Amino acid sequence: MNVNHTSGILALAFAFATAGQGEENDPRLAFGKDFKPFLAKYCFDCHGAETQKAGVDLQGLLGDEPPKIEDRREWETVMEIILSREMPPEKKPQPAEALRGEMVDYLEAHLESFDCSGPVNPGTVTARRLNRVEYENTIRDLLGVEFAATENFPRDEVGYGFDNIGDVLSLSPLLMEKYLEAAETIVDDALLSEVPPWPPRQRFEETAMKARPRNGDDDALRVERNRYFGLFREGEAEFAFNAPEAGDYQIRVRAYQDKAGPEPALLSLWLGKQRVNEAHVRAEGDAPEVLEFPLTLTEGDQTLAVGYENNYNNSDADERRLRGDRNLYVDWVEVVGPLGKERPPLPATHVAIIPERPQPGREMAMARTIFERFVSRAYRRPATKREVDRLAGLAIQVMDEGATFEEGIKVGVSAVLVSPHFLYRWELDPQRSGEEPRPLNGYELASRLSYFLWSSMPDAELTAAAAADQLGDLDVLRAHLKRMLADPRAKALVQNFTGQWLQTRNLATVEPDPEVFPEFDEPLREAMQLETELFVQSIVDEDRSVLELLDADYTFLNERLAQHYGIPGVTGEAFQRVALDRGSRRGGVLTQASVLTITSEASRTSPVVRGKWVLEQLLNTPPPPPPPDVEPLEETKEAHESASLRERLEQHRDNPDCRGCHAKMDPIGFALENYDAIGRWRDMDGKFPIDPASELVGGITVEGPDDLKRALVQKEDYIEALAEKMLTYALGRGTEYYDKCAIDLIVAQLKGSEYRFSSLIDAIVTSEPFLKRQLLPHS
């Protein structure tokens, strides 16, 4: 719906200015008899089948029919151009002045004929990939992990001024690769691969042991039979252990013997050079047993050892049972402890997904329970039995290959994080033919609401309301809306909607010329950004009028930014609310350094850019792109010293092809010219006094920023533009001609509530386009 103005469409206004005289009640006859011949005479030379200046073909646009309601935006532009007398260019033949008002009436009546009383088309939103901010916030709320998607993922595509538009959010191979890498990193941060045993235990195998023979014969103590430490004579196998704290411990030794002689092998436990315990090893062959010994340790480094105390070797005994060579084999020694201590809590991120370990044989049941809950949260709707079975089966398959239960769950969670059901927001229509609206189901509506306000997934309360099918009740929906706006996560609405609507996100990348503005640094950049965020957040939190976004009697400053503005009495790095008087020359976003800096060139201001910004962002009436053959403004030293920027721009726009658009942009920018390229007030442009006085389109005279703000506040275009832009952001799609009825209702509700911010949000959330979607026909 937001279609750029073009010189062809501007000229079209004057085509209409000669159409329909005496035939206002028969637009089709007026179109064929008067309007089309007029276009052929005045417009088709530049905007016809053979030549399309600015890419506009009026013959193709109009065809053989009167203006179409689908082209409402273009015709509203035409009405505006008729009233402002911007086209045709001065050197071209002009239509009769007396016809202008008649054609405005004609067009207005034609466009108002669109019927809002019948069935409303709520439009259709494309399946929408989570953008970087939404992914980052969703991971935070789903898994409790902070992942910097805005730093690790490529930039999201932008459509209609926002980066959450389904039609432009593609999924490139590079981004898919990033998703796979991110899933592994996130799951490793959130979940343990194995829950450590409690009490803590440390195992020492033969590779960690050192022989300590009693007779100096190392060969008598050697590694034997794969991993076992063999003791073939009396002696010890020692190892070093660091006790984390003093207390009671348990020593566990896994060992077996080569049986020979009248008694089993005797294993001893040593602390340093002192034997502290002993026990017989009765297990034989390669089938060890585990012996357990209590031991009290002091904190710090210890030397522990296991020894062999009763070596026996007799091949000559008369009795067969007494013949043989008795040996002792140690598999490992495990130190358990300290005992009697309470287990520290496991990471909350782990317990939230895997609350406990399953009992043997219950792994599949536990996996199903885990994935039924997790998938339902991740996919923002109930998990299906098939989805749960597949993921639980995958986890068990991983376990069967030797992994732990936790590692199996981690593989399944990673699979969820790269699933289209997680990465996209789906609104799937039933399999039926016909074209009619359907109400969103509870889960779809919950997702729309949470991603609009929080740029994140629904919380437990909203999901419960969706499951109970309560969100179709507008009172319930409004209660959740109020609750969610009060939640700290609602700051995402300010940061993401406002940052893109006002384009203050661009402040992160602007680079004022350091030779011209050496005082501009990172702390000042951050202060500029934070002022705007805190100011807009106050409008939200205090439910103030959205008109105050343009003109308010307060702002938020720290000492650095206050000094930048020349406002006394503010000290310290912390931001504070500051009351403004008229002498402060501040108030509203137009006079904040964030906006003034992003709408400037690196070394100077730009009235053109500032005017264009106001037209595009605040009034939703973007000018057309400049003609390709227009030379840029001369930026030489001589040019700067010869005249003020305003004078040079006025000379520059003598080009008749530029005059129409510059007549709309430049006066707005001139009214802000007292603010330099980093938002400071000034009275001189070099050696030239600044003249901020100008005449806006429509004959409104302004003497500077205060007059400009008053003029904008009085324009209904601002409220309509804000409503349309926020609706675009809320829906994740561009608005269309059929959305006009919804936008008109939003504007009417705003007017009826003194323009309170909550009323704007309420009107959008309860609008037909937000609550419903148009079914697409199935072939």
Side-chain angles (χ1 to χ4, degrees):
M1 182 173 177
N2 188 5
V3 181
N4 286 344
H5 298 186
T6 65
S7 58
I9 293 176
L10 304 184
L12 190 58
F14 295 91
F16 268 93
T18 61
Q21 299 180 59
E23 299 172 272
E24 294 85 349
N25 297 324
D26 190 353
R28 184 173 298 274
L29 181 60
F31 175 84
K33 182 178 180 182
D34 298 314
F35 178 53
K36 196 166 185 179
F38 181 87
L39 289 182
K41 179 178 180 180
Y42 289 101
C43 305
F44 287 173
D45 284 348
C46 296
H47 305 290
E50 296 182 2
T51 303
Q52 299 90 38
K53 282 192 175 182
V56 175
D57 176 8
L58 292 182
Q59 283 182 283
L61 176 68
L62 293 173
D64 294 320
E65 297 292 332
K68 302 180 183 66
I69 198 64
E70 293 86 341
D71 300 325
R72 179 186 190 91
R73 171 66 71 178
E74 289 90 332
W75 298 122
E76 287 177 341
T77 299
V78 165
M79 287 195 299
E80 181 182 342
I81 300 307
I82 292 174
L83 289 172
S84 63
R85 299 168 177 80
E86 294 181 34
M87 281 286 183
E90 291 181 3
K91 295 182 180 180
K92 297 289 185 179
Q94 300 294 313
E97 182 70 21
L99 299 178
R100 293 181 189 270
E102 293 180 20
M103 289 320 306
V104 168
D105 293 342
Y106 168 82
L107 278 174
E108 191 169 31
H110 186 74
L111 296 178
E112 289 300 326
S113 66
F114 187 63
D115 186 11
C116 288
S117 62
V120 174
N121 180 352
T124 302
V125 179
T126 305
R128 192 159 74 66
R129 175 176 63 78
L130 300 182
N131 65 24
R132 295 186 303 173
V133 171
E134 292 168 339
Y135 181 96
E136 191 171 297
N137 292 346
T138 302
I139 290 296
R140 177 201 65 204
D141 294 341
L142 177 65
L143 288 161
V145 170
E146 297 292 338
F147 177 78
T150 50
E151 298 176 10
N152 289 282
F153 292 170
R155 280 184 171 274
D156 295 308
E157 299 90 339
V158 174
Y160 304 96
F162 299 102
D163 63 4
N164 66 342
I165 304 300
D167 289 340
V168 302
L169 285 169
S170 61
L171 180 54
S172 66
L174 173 61
L175 181 55
M176 191 67 235
E177 182 179 335
K178 294 291 186 181
Y179 280 144
L180 292 168
E181 294 172 359
E184 184 176 348
T185 299
I186 291 164
V187 171
D188 283 343
D189 286 347
L191 301 176
L192 300 173
S193 293
E194 184 176 13
V195 175
W198 191 260
R201 59 191 61 204
Q202 187 173 349
R203 179 172 294 183
F204 300 87
E205 298 181 341
E206 51 87 9
T207 55
M209 299 179 191
K210 183 175 68 172
R212 192 172 76 184
R214 295 177 187 172
N215 59 7
D217 185 0
D218 285 349
D219 290 338
L221 301 172
R222 65 183 187 272
V223 176
E224 183 75 13
R225 298 185 184 178
N226 298 323
R227 68 178 183 271
Y228 294 95
F229 196 106
L231 293 100
F232 298 93
R233 292 184 185 177
E234 286 86 350
E236 293 87 49
E238 70 175 16
F239 58 92
F241 171 71
N242 183 274
E245 59 181 279
D248 295 330
Y249 289 76
Q250 183 184 64
I251 310 301
R252 306 176 72 243
V253 184
R254 190 171 188 259
Y256 75 94
Q257 66 165 340
D258 285 338
K259 184 177 180 182
E263 63 180 355
L266 183 63
L267 181 146
S268 58
L269 176 65
W270 295 71
L271 176 58
K273 298 296 184 179
Q274 180 183 4
R275 186 167 67 179
V276 295
N277 215 325
E278 61 184 29
H280 283 105
V281 177
R282 302 183 184 280
E284 299 179 46
D286 197 2
E289 63 178 307
V290 176
L291 305 177
E292 297 180 346
F293 305 95
L295 184 63
T296 300
L297 296 175
T298 59
E299 181 180 353
D301 293 333
Q302 318 280 341
T303 297
L304 300 178
V306 290
Y308 178 33
E309 300 298 331
N310 60 343
N311 185 47
Y312 179 90
N313 189 348
N314 187 343
S315 59
D316 300 326
D318 293 337
E319 293 184 45
R320 184 175 180 181
R321 68 182 182 84
L322 299 178
R323 298 181 202 142
D325 183 9
R326 182 192 303 144
N327 298 301
L328 179 63
Y329 300 92
V330 177
D331 184 2
W332 46 254
V333 180
E334 199 170 65
V335 182
V336 182
L339 305 176
K341 304 290 184 181
E342 185 177 350
R343 178 197 283 272
L346 295 175
T349 56
H350 180 92
V351 175
I353 305 299
I354 310 175
E356 59 182 338
R357 294 208 76 194
Q359 297 296 321
R362 296 289 298 167
E363 291 85 358
M364 174 61 85
M366 176 69 77
R368 283 185 49 80
T369 299
I370 288 171
F371 284 116
E372 183 171 11
R373 180 175 181 274
F374 180 73
V375 171
S376 296
R377 295 182 65 231
Y379 293 174
R380 283 92 59 185
R381 45 89 175 155
T384 66
K385 182 178 183 301
R386 182 180 180 186
E387 289 166 342
V388 172
D389 288 345
R390 290 178 65 182
L391 290 164
L394 176 62
I396 299 305
Q397 179 183 342
V398 172
M399 286 185 62
D400 290 343
E401 294 174 358
T404 64
F405 177 76
E406 291 81 7
E407 287 171 330
I409 297 299
K410 287 175 69 172
V411 171
V413 171
S414 295
V416 170
L417 297 185
V418 296
S419 166
H421 298 289
F422 171 74
L423 296 174
Y424 282 79
R425 288 170 49 197
W426 297 89
E427 296 173 358
L428 299 177
D429 296 327
Q431 294 292 319
R432 59 174 177 170
S433 59
E435 295 185 26
E436 58 184 75
R438 72 163 176 88
L440 298 180
N441 66 43
Y443 297 102
E444 293 167 340
L445 186 53
S447 281
R448 279 202 182 184
L449 186 60
S450 66
Y451 281 98
F452 172 34
L453 300 180
W454 291 347
S455 296
S456 188
M457 60 183 285
D459 65 356
E461 289 185 59
L462 191 60
T463 300
D469 199 23
Q470 296 174 341
L471 295 181
D473 183 333
L474 292 186
D475 289 337
V476 174
L477 184 64
R478 286 186 168 108
H480 281 282
L481 173 60
K482 182 178 180 180
R483 174 183 69 84
M484 293 171 72
L485 279 174
D487 190 282
R489 282 170 287 188
K491 287 183 171 60
L493 179 62
V494 171
Q495 293 168 347
N496 300 319
F497 170 72
T498 305
Q500 295 181 85
W501 168 47
L502 300 179
Q503 298 181 336
T504 49
R505 273 189 182 181
N506 298 344
L507 191 62
T509 57
V510 299
E511 295 294 342
D513 189 329
E515 293 186 3
V516 182
F517 304 106
E519 53 276 277
F520 184 86
D521 55 16
E522 287 307 310
L524 184 59
R525 185 200 305 270
E526 293 170 5
M528 291 176 177
Q529 183 79 49
L530 192 53
E531 177 194 17
T532 301
E533 289 182 2
L534 290 173
F535 172 68
V536 178
Q537 190 67 53
S538 73
I539 300 291
V540 177
D541 293 343
E542 300 168 25
D543 196 20
R544 302 178 76 91
S545 166
V546 296
L547 299 179
E548 291 189 58
L549 290 168
L550 296 185
D551 193 11
D553 60 2
Y554 70 96
T555 190
F556 292 83
L557 303 173
N558 65 359
E559 183 175 354
R560 178 69 191 282
L561 192 56
Q563 289 176 350
H564 188 69
Y565 287 169
I567 296 177
V570 180
T571 59
E573 294 183 5
F575 270 75
Q576 53 192 276
R577 189 177 183 129
V578 177
L580 300 173
D581 55 40
R582 286 300 174 186
S584 69
R585 302 162 177 149
R586 305 288 168 174
V589 296
L590 272 175
T591 62
Q592 291 178 0
S594 59
V595 169
L596 294 164
T597 301
I598 64 168
T599 55
S600 296
E601 304 290 349
S603 60
R604 65 166 175 82
T605 60
S606 177
V608 175
V609 174
R610 288 177 176 175
K612 181 174 180 288
W613 182 90
V614 169
L615 293 175
E616 286 183 332
Q617 307 310 125
L618 300 185
L619 302 179
N620 209 22
T621 55
D629 55 347
V630 174
E631 294 185 4
L633 191 66
E634 186 178 352
E635 296 288 358
T636 64
K637 181 179 179 181
E638 292 75 12
H640 282 268
E641 293 179 350
S642 65
S644 68
L645 177 59
R646 174 169 185 159
E647 291 170 336
R648 289 187 290 133
L649 280 172
E650 288 173 341
Q651 296 167 10
H652 179 72
R653 68 179 185 180
D654 280 344
N655 185 333
D657 291 332
C658 304
R659 190 172 303 146
C661 293
H662 278 276
K664 298 175 68 177
M665 297 184 293
D666 293 1
I668 296 172
F670 291 149
L672 300 171
E673 187 63 2
N674 280 112
Y675 301 103
D676 72 8
I678 58 172
R680 292 175 303 188
W681 183 268
R682 60 182 183 163
D683 294 309
M684 304 289 289
D685 175 13
K687 62 182 181 180
F688 303 100
I690 290 174
D691 177 13
S694 57
E695 183 177 313
L696 305 180
V697 170
I700 301 173
T701 300
V702 297
E703 297 293 334
D706 288 343
D707 287 346
L708 176 63
K709 290 187 290 183
R710 281 191 288 270
L712 292 175
V713 164
Q714 294 169 7
K715 287 179 71 68
E716 191 167 297
D717 290 353
Y718 162 66
I719 295 299
E720 292 178 354
L722 177 58
E724 182 175 342
K725 286 183 178 289
M726 189 166 278
L727 182 63
T728 297
Y729 177 82
L731 297 177
R733 68 166 174 84
T735 54
E736 301 291 345
Y737 71 93
Y738 44 74
D739 291 312
K740 182 188 185 304
C741 299
I743 293 170
D744 287 348
L745 288 173
I746 295 169
V747 171
Q749 186 166 328
L750 258 176
K751 289 179 178 178
S753 63
E754 299 180 325
Y755 301 98
R756 299 290 177 188
F757 181 85
S758 62
S759 181
L760 172 62
I761 301 295
D762 180 277
I764 288 173
V765 168
T766 59
S767 69
E768 293 284 299
F770 194 89
L771 297 173
K772 299 179 179 180
R773 66 180 271 117
Q774 188 73 21
L775 285 178
L776 299 176
H778 293 281
S779 57

